[in-house]
C-alpha cells in the first residue's frame, strides 16, 4: 500500500463514473487540442523561415482588382529585389466544382526562384519553361488525381471567362504539402486577348532586413498612380486573407472556452459526488491521524490523476488525426495536424487545472467537516 | 504483563461542551471532571444523548471542548493545533467507531496499514506490524479480504487491529459492540480486555450494554452531560 495506490483504488471505486469522466475530459481536450492547432495554423500559415524573405504586391484598393503587368519590370529594378513573379489566382474548375485546389498563373522562370522552398527538378523546370501550355502540380495534388506527366488538364475559368487546356509537364514538392497548380501567365494573358493586367506579384528580397525598405520603395513608386499597390509580407498577406473569414480567432477562442467550462462543470460535479459519499471515510482518515492537508492532497491527487488520463486520451485522439488526410477532408483549408509544443503544454495544463479545481472544492468541503458531523451523517 | 501504574493518563477539569443546534445552545457536557489512570479499562455508560461520544471525541482530540481543561498523556489538548493533534492521534490514540470503521476499497491488510503510511516505517516493517496486529485479533487468514467480505464482528476486529497498529497508549472505543450479535460482541470485548491486560493499553469504552461494562476495571456514568459521582 502506498499513497499512489490509495489514490488509484479510490479513483476506480466507481469504474463507470470514473471512465465516463475520463472520456468526457478526453473528448473535450481533444476538441481543444484540435481547435488550438488549427487556429495556430490559420494564424501562422507560413512557418518556413524562407517566407520571411517574401513580399506580396497587390492592388491597394482590393484583392479583386488588377494592376498593369508592366509593374513587373519596375518592381524588378527596386534595390534588394532579387526575383519577381506574377501570381494570378485563377480559381479554375477541374472536371467537378467540388475538386477544389489552388491554381495560379505565374512566371515559370521566376516562380521557383521566389518560392525556393518549393522544389522542382531541373529538367521538369526546363520543360515547364519551354511548353507554353505546360503546367506543374505539387506532389500532393498530382497524387490526389493520380496525374502523370503528359496528362491533359483542362481548367474551366470562373473569374476569367476562358477555359485553359494545359498539359502536365512535371511536379514539385511543397513544404506544407499544399495542393497547388502553376501554369504560364503569358498563356492566360493571351487567352484574355492581352489584357496585360495582374492580381499580384510575389517578390523575393535579398535579406530579411531589406524587406521593410522594399515594401516602402515599391508602394511609393506607384503612389498617386491610377492603380496604387499594397506590399505586405507573405504572412501579413495570408492573415489578411484569413481575416476576411471573420473574427475566426474570437470564434474559436469562445468555442474553446465553452468546451473547457462545460468540462469543468462535469468534472466538479462528479468529483463532488465522489467525495461527498466518502465523508465518513474522510472522518476515519482524520481520526487515525491524517492531517487536513494530506487528505486534501490525496483527493486532489485523485482528481488530477483522472484529468491526466483524460488529457492523455485527448492527445492520443489528436495524434490519430495524423492518420487521416486533412488536406483532402478540408479541401486544403487545413493541410495537416501538427500542434506545436505550446499547444501540447496548453492542453496538458488545462487538464491539470481541471483536476486541481474539480478536486479542491469537494476536498476542501470534506476536510472541513468535523468528524462528529461526518460520523453522524450531517453533511 | 505490564504493571499497572497509577499515574493519571487523562485529567479532565470543568469540561464543558455546547453545540449550537437550530440557533439554540445544546449542552452536551456540563462541568465534567474525570481522571483515568494509565492501564485502566474504563467503561462509560449513560442514556442516549448523555454526552458519552462527545466526551470520547474530546479525549481523542477529534473534537474540542468549549471550556475547561483536558490533559491527555501530558498534553493540554486545547493548546495543540489541528496538525499537532493529527500527529498526536496517529502516535498515541487508537479509535474504534460503532460502525463504518473501514475503507471499503481497501483490504483488511491495507486498512490496518493506513496509519503506518504516515510513519517512516519501510514497507517490510509495515507488513510485519500489520500481520502481528491481525494475528492479535485472530484475523491473520482474512488479510486480503475486503470489508464487504467480512462479518460485522470481523470488521470490528480489523478496526481494533488498526487502532493498535501504531502501538498507542490509549484505545478509545465508541460502542464497539453496539451493532454486533452477542457472540461477536464477546469476541471484541475479549480482545479489548487482552489489549488492556496483556499489552497494558489504557482502554476507554462507551457502551450501553451492562454486560460489556463487566469487562472494565471501572465504570463511569454520564447523565445529561454530567458525570455521576
Ligand atoms: N455535531 C453536533 N451538532 C449538534 N448537536 C450535537 C452534535 N453532537 C452531539 N450533539 C448533541 O450533544 C448531545 C450529546 O450527544 P452524544 O452523541 O455525545 O450522546 P451519546 O451519549 O453518545 O448518545 P448515544 O448513546 O445516542 O450515542 C446530544 O444532545 C446531541 O444531540
Ligand atoms: Mg454516542
Amino acid at each position: 500500500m502506498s499513497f499512489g495506490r490509495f489514490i488509484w483504488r479510490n479513483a476506480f471505486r466507481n469504474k463507470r463514473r470514473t471512465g465516463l469522466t475520463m472520456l468526457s475530459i478526453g473528448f473535450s481536450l481533444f476538441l481543444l487540442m484540435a481547435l488550438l492547432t488549427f487556429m495556430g495554423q490559420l494564424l501562422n500559415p507560413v512557418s518556413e523561415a524562407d517566407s520571411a524573405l517574401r513580399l506580396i504586391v497587390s492592388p491597394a484598393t482590393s484583392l479583386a482588382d488588377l494592376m498593369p503587368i508592366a509593374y513587373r519590370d519596375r518592381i524588378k529594378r527596386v534595390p534588394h529585389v532579387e526575383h519577381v513573379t506574377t501570381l494570378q489566382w485563377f480559381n479554375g474548375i477541374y472536371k467537378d466544382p467540388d475538386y477544389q485546389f489552388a491554381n495560379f498563373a505565374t512566371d515559370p522562370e521566376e516562380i521557383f526562384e521566389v518560392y525556393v522552398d518549393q522544389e522542382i527538378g531541373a529538367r521538369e523546370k526546363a520543360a515547364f519553361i519551354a511548353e507554353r501550355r505546360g503546367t506543374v502540380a505539387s506532389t500532393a495534388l498530382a497524387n490526389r488525381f493520380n496525374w502523370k506527366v503528359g496528362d491533359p488538364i483542362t481548367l474551366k475559368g470562373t473569374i476569367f471567362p476562358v477555359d485553359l487546356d494545359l498539359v502536365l509537364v512535371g511536379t514539385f514538392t511543397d513544404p506544407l504539402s499544399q495542393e497547388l497548380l502553376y501554369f504560364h501567365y503569358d498563356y492566360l494573358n493571351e487567352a484574355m486577348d492581352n489584357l496585360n493586367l495582374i492580381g499580384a506579384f510575389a517578390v523575393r528580397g535579398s535579406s530579411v532586413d531589406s524587406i521593410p525598405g522594399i515594401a516602402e520603395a515599391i508602394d511609393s513608386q506607384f503612389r498617386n498612380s491610377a492603380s496604387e499597390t499594397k506590399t505586405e509580407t507573405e504572412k501579413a498577406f495570408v492573415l489578411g486573407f484569413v481575416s476576411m473569414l471573420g473574427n475566426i480567432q474570437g470564434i474559436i477562442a469562445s468555442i474553446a472556452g465553452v468546451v473547457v467550462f462545460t468540462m469543468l462543470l462535469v468534472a466538479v460535479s462528479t468529483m463532488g459526488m465522489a467525495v461527498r459519499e466518502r465523508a465518513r471515510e474522510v472522518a476515519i482518515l482524520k481520526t487515525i491521524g491524517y492531517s487536513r492537508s494530506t487528505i486534501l492532497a490525496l483527493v486532489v491527487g485523485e482528481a488530477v490523476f483522472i484529468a491526466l488520463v483524460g488529457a492523455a486520451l485527448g492527445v492520443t485522439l489528436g495524434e490519430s488525426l495524423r492518420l487521416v488526410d486533412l488536406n483532402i477532408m478540408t479541401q486544403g483549408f487545413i493541410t495537416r495536424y501538427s500542434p506545436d509544443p505550446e499547444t501540447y503544454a496548453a492542453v496538458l495544463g488545462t487538464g491539470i487545472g481541471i483536476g486541481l479545481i474539480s478536486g479542491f472544492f469537494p476536498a476542501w468541503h470534506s476536510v472541513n467537516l468535523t468528524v462528529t458531523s461526518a460520523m453522524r451523517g450531517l453533511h | 504483563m505490564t504493571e499497572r501504574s497509577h499515574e493519571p493518563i487523562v485529567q479532565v477539569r470543568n469540561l464543558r461542551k455546547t453545540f449550537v443546534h437550530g440557533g439554540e445552545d445544546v449542552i452536551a457536557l456540563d462541568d465534567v471532571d474525570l481522571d483515568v489512570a494509565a492501564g485502566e479499562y474504563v467503561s462509560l455508560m449513560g442514556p442516549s444523548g448523555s454526552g458519552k461520544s462527545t466526551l470520547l471525541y474530546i479525549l481523542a482530540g477529534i473534537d474540542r471542548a468549549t471550556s475547561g481543561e483536558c490533559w491527555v498523556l501530558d498534553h493540554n489538548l486545547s493548546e495543540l493545533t489541528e496538525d499537532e493533534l493529527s500527529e498526536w492521534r496517529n502516535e498515541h490514540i487508537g479509535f474504534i467507531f460503532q460502525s463504518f470503521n473501514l475503507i471499503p476499497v481497501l483490504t483488511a491488510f491495507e486498512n490496518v496499514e493506513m496509519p503506518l503510511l504516515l510513519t517512516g516505517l519501510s514497507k517490510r516493517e509495515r507488513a510485519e506490524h500489520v500481520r502481528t496486529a491481525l494475528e492479535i485479533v485472530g484475523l491473520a487468514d482474512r488479510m486480503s479480504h475486503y470489508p464487504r467480505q467480512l462479518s460485522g464482528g470481523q470488521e470490528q476486529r480489523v478496526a481494533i487491529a488498526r487502532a493498535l497498529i501504531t502501538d498507542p497508549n490509549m484505545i478509545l472505543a465508541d460502542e464497539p459492540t453496539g451493532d454486533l450479535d452477542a457472540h461477536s460482541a464477546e469476541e471484541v470485548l475479549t480482545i479489548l480486555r487482552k489489549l488492556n491486560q496483556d499489552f497494558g493499553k489504557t482502554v476507554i469504552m462507551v457502551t450501553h450494554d451492562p454486560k460489556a461494562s463487566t469487562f472494565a476495571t471501572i465504570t463511569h456514568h454520564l447523565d445529561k452531560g454530567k458525570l455521576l459521582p
Side-chain angles (χ1 to χ4, degrees):
Chain A
M1 189 67 185
S2 62
F3 288 140
R5 211 172 157 75
F6 182 73
I7 287 175
W8 177 274
R9 290 286 183 79
N10 276 315
F12 290 109
R13 67 165 61 200
N14 188 329
K15 290 191 184 63
R16 187 169 58 170
R17 181 168 65 199
T18 302
L20 287 174
T21 309
M22 285 171 170
L23 276 180
S24 65
I25 293 176
F27 279 110
S28 314
L29 288 182
F30 162 63
L31 202 57
L32 184 68
M33 185 94 202
L35 284 173
L36 291 178
T37 302
F38 299 146
M39 182 163 75
Q41 233 176 61
L42 281 176
L43 298 179
N44 221 339
V46 272
S47 55
E48 313 305 313
D50 199 57
S51 160
L53 289 175
R54 284 194 289 267
L55 291 159
I56 303 290
V57 184
S58 54
T61 41
S62 139
L63 280 178
D65 283 341
L66 300 171
M67 310 168 275
I69 187 67
Y71 281 15
R72 178 167 51 190
D73 291 332
R74 295 176 62 186
I75 292 171
K76 234 177 227 166
R77 286 197 295 271
V78 168
H80 305 297
V81 167
E82 293 202 324
H83 293 280
V84 181
T85 178
T86 53
L87 204 57
Q88 178 60 55
W89 174 245
F90 182 66
N91 198 31
I93 292 168
Y94 171 67
K95 287 187 179 167
D96 187 316
D98 283 345
Y99 290 168
Q100 286 188 30
F101 55 84
N103 43 81
F104 291 96
T106 185
D107 298 341
E109 300 90 348
E110 288 290 282
I111 183 74
F112 295 107
E113 302 300 331
V114 175
Y115 290 87
V116 292
D117 46 355
Q118 294 176 345
E119 287 172 19
I120 187 166
R123 276 174 47 198
E124 287 171 307
K125 186 177 172 184
F128 184 30
I129 294 170
E131 173 58 53
R132 204 172 53 94
R133 286 167 48 230
T135 182
V136 289
S138 66
T139 38
L141 180 62
N143 289 343
R144 176 174 163 199
F145 293 111
N146 205 15
W147 284 337
K148 300 274 173 295
V149 168
D151 284 355
I153 296 167
T154 300
L155 287 184
K156 222 170 115 58
T158 53
I159 308 169
F160 297 89
V162 287
D163 296 352
L164 300 180
D165 290 316
L166 306 169
V167 55
L168 192 74
V169 295
T171 59
F172 61 93
T173 61
D174 175 73
L176 297 174
S177 309
Q178 303 175 88
E179 297 187 339
L180 297 167
L181 189 76
Y182 293 147
F183 51 88
H184 287 235
Y185 168 77
D186 289 344
Y187 178 44
L188 171 65
N189 195 36
E190 232 175 77
M192 290 296 296
D193 295 327
N194 294 315
L195 188 64
N196 288 329
L197 294 174
I198 181 74
F201 297 104
V203 175
R204 185 180 182 84
S206 58
S207 70
V208 174
D209 296 339
S210 65
I211 294 299
I214 296 175
E216 179 48 36
I218 294 173
D219 288 347
S220 59
Q221 200 171 155
F222 303 114
R223 198 157 291 147
N224 300 322
S225 74
S227 53
E228 299 194 341
T229 60
K230 181 173 160 206
T231 305
E232 311 170 277
T233 60
E234 185 176 68
K235 182 172 169 179
F237 177 79
V238 178
L239 284 185
F241 227 75
V242 168
S243 76
M244 295 197 313
L245 299 171
N247 183 6
I248 288 221
Q249 196 173 3
I251 293 167
I252 292 186
S254 45
I255 295 174
V258 170
V259 167
V260 170
F261 186 69
T262 310
M263 169 175 49
L264 188 63
L265 290 184
V266 169
V268 167
S269 88
T270 43
M271 266 323 277
M273 230 188 298
V275 176
R276 244 188 326 275
E277 337 176 300
R278 280 184 235 162
R280 278 208 165 90
E281 292 165 44
V282 169
I284 283 163
L285 288 179
K286 279 187 176 178
T287 303
I288 62 179
Y290 280 67
S291 67
R292 298 197 316 170
S293 46
T294 306
I295 298 171
L296 208 60
L298 287 170
V299 177
V300 171
E302 179 182 333
V304 168
F305 165 70
I306 291 173
L308 277 181
V309 173
L313 199 74
V315 169
T316 310
L317 279 172
E319 294 305 300
S320 71
L321 286 183
R322 292 182 194 275
L323 303 177
V324 300
D325 196 336
L326 288 173
N327 207 354
I328 288 181
M329 275 173 55
T330 65
Q331 300 189 338
F333 194 60
I334 290 151
T335 48
R336 62 186 165 181
Y337 180 80
S338 57
D340 44 30
E342 288 84 5
T343 306
Y344 285 108
V347 167
L348 212 63
T350 306
I352 292 173
I354 286 190
L356 288 176
I357 294 172
S358 69
F360 182 80
F361 290 103
W364 182 251
H365 173 77
S366 76
V367 296
N368 282 319
L369 205 61
T370 63
V371 172
T372 32
S373 314
M375 292 314 275
R376 281 164 192 273
L378 302 175
H379 40 282
Chain B
M1 267 180 227
T2 317
E3 198 59 36
R4 186 172 300 166
S5 74
H6 287 281
E7 62 193 70
I9 197 169
V10 172
Q11 265 191 317
V12 168
R13 293 291 176 273
N14 308 112
L15 191 74
R16 267 179 79 83
K17 175 70 179 179
T18 53
F19 289 102
V20 184
H21 190 73
E24 271 179 53
D25 275 4
V26 179
I27 300 171
L29 292 173
D30 190 4
D31 215 13
V32 170
D33 290 342
L34 172 70
D35 284 321
V36 176
E40 257 179 324
Y41 186 158
V42 179
S43 150
L44 263 183
M45 295 190 71
S48 183
S50 58
K52 306 181 295 293
S53 298
T54 304
L55 179 56
L56 209 62
Y57 286 155
I58 292 173
L59 294 179
I62 291 170
D63 206 349
R64 288 182 186 274
T66 307
S67 65
E69 278 190 20
C70 181
W71 287 79
V72 183
L73 292 160
D74 295 327
H75 284 282
N76 185 349
L77 296 190
S78 60
E79 283 175 359
L80 299 185
T81 64
E82 288 295 315
D83 283 354
E84 286 167 341
L85 275 176
S86 297
E87 214 180 309
W88 176 83
R89 275 201 298 277
N90 183 252
E91 208 173 320
H92 300 293
I93 303 290
F95 201 99
I96 301 149
F97 293 99
Q98 179 173 348
S99 54
F100 302 114
N101 271 293
L102 304 184
I103 293 173
V105 290
L106 303 182
T107 62
F109 183 97
E110 291 162 341
N111 266 288
V112 176
E113 192 186 5
M114 280 308 281
L116 292 185
L117 291 184
L118 300 175
T119 67
L121 294 181
S122 72
K123 196 177 162 165
R124 262 221 2 244
E125 291 169 315
R126 294 201 303 262
E128 265 168 41
H129 282 73
V130 172
R131 219 164 282 130
T132 311
L134 282 169
E135 269 161 21
I136 291 172
V137 299
L139 288 174
D141 57 339
R142 292 283 191 279
M143 288 200 290
S144 56
H145 287 225
Y146 286 90
R148 63 172 184 279
Q149 299 166 318
L150 298 171
S151 72
Q154 289 169 334
E155 274 193 54
Q156 286 308 73
R157 280 147 67 195
V158 174
I160 295 175
R162 186 182 62 199
L164 62 88
I165 190 73
T166 54
D167 197 21
N169 308 62
M170 270 213 311
I171 292 190
L172 307 181
D174 191 0
E175 297 188 52
T177 59
D179 278 1
L180 302 183
D181 61 68
H183 175 71
S184 304
E186 176 105 13
E187 277 179 340
V188 164
L189 293 167
T190 307
I191 293 167
L192 287 175
R193 184 164 62 190
K194 182 162 96 178
L195 295 180
N196 174 249
Q197 290 186 344
D198 299 353
F199 295 88
K201 306 289 177 208
T202 305
V203 178
I204 304 179
M205 174 180 72
V206 167
T207 184
H208 273 300
D209 179 8
K211 238 184 86 193
S213 78
T214 61
F215 282 74
T217 53
I218 183 167
T219 300
H220 289 294
H221 291 273
L222 268 172
D223 191 21
K224 293 183 188 135
K226 286 190 182 293
L227 197 66
L228 303 182

